Amino acid sequence: MNDYVEKCLVSACLTGLSTRYDGKSKKNHSCMHCLQKTLWIPVCPEQLGGLPTPRPAASIIGGNGFDVLKGKAHVLDCNNNDVTSNFIQGAELVLSIAQSQKITTCYLKSRSPSCAINGNAGVTAALLIQQGIHVLEFD
Ligand code: SF4
């Protein structure tokens, strides 16, 4: 019997947790189906970065998540507050959870300044990709 169960990280909002900036969730049934035979851990980098829920919507100004990590772009919320350090802290905590749990695959939410992979990559996605972690995106 193979009792090895793959561990994964998943954007918390995709699992139905109400972690989004608007206080809502975005449960994705395809994602949950993919996670069926795994041991998954929900993470919300923006909450881990110390931001409240709900919170003002934020976006990356001047580039993408990779540029934020290089110090060449910033994350501003819709009230013009700079929340770059919150986003970087959240990304680093997600990475440290992945590394401590020997997790090599993360399932991330699209269209997010933290979690998006395609289009304008988010800060957490960029850090995970930089560290060689396999990332998959769901809407
Ligand atoms: Fe949190 Fe990422 Fe979902 Fe936004 S997209 S609520 S940062 S888990």
Side-chain angles (χ1 to χ4, degrees):
M1 182 177 115
N2 181 2
D3 60 0
Y4 174 77
V5 178
E6 183 190 5
K7 284 190 206 167
C8 303
L9 290 186
V10 56
S11 293
C13 57
L14 288 174
T15 72
L17 293 171
S18 300
T19 55
R20 279 164 55 91
Y21 73 96
D22 56 6
K24 296 181 179 170
S25 67
K26 194 77 176 175
K27 189 166 185 175
N28 184 295
H29 295 281
S30 308
C31 178
M32 298 312 292
H33 183 75
C34 293
L35 293 171
Q36 266 179 354
K37 293 188 176 167
T38 70
L39 182 58
W40 49 271
I41 301 169
V43 289
C44 175
E46 291 172 27
Q47 287 189 339
L48 287 169
L51 294 170
T53 303
R55 54 190 169 275
S59 49
I60 299 174
I61 306 298
N64 59 24
F66 293 98
D67 299 312
V68 172
L69 296 173
K70 286 184 215 151
K72 295 183 174 171
H74 295 277
V75 188
L76 295 184
D77 73 17
C78 60
N79 298 322
N80 233 21
N81 295 311
D82 191 323
V83 287
T84 307
S85 61
N86 300 89
F87 274 63
I88 292 174
Q89 178 187 313
E92 288 174 343
L93 283 170
V94 170
L95 176 63
S96 95
I97 293 167
Q99 290 175 330
S100 69
Q101 295 298 313
K102 302 191 179 357
I103 285 170
T104 57
T105 304
C106 295
Y107 295 75
L108 299 176
K109 171 77 180 70
S110 65
R111 296 182 291 158
S112 154
S114 289
C115 294
I117 299 167
N118 298 312
N120 215 21
V123 179
T124 294
L127 186 61
L128 294 173
I129 291 166
Q130 272 186 354
Q131 296 300 315
I133 292 178
H134 182 220
V135 290
L136 298 161
E137 186 177 71
F138 291 84
D139 193 32

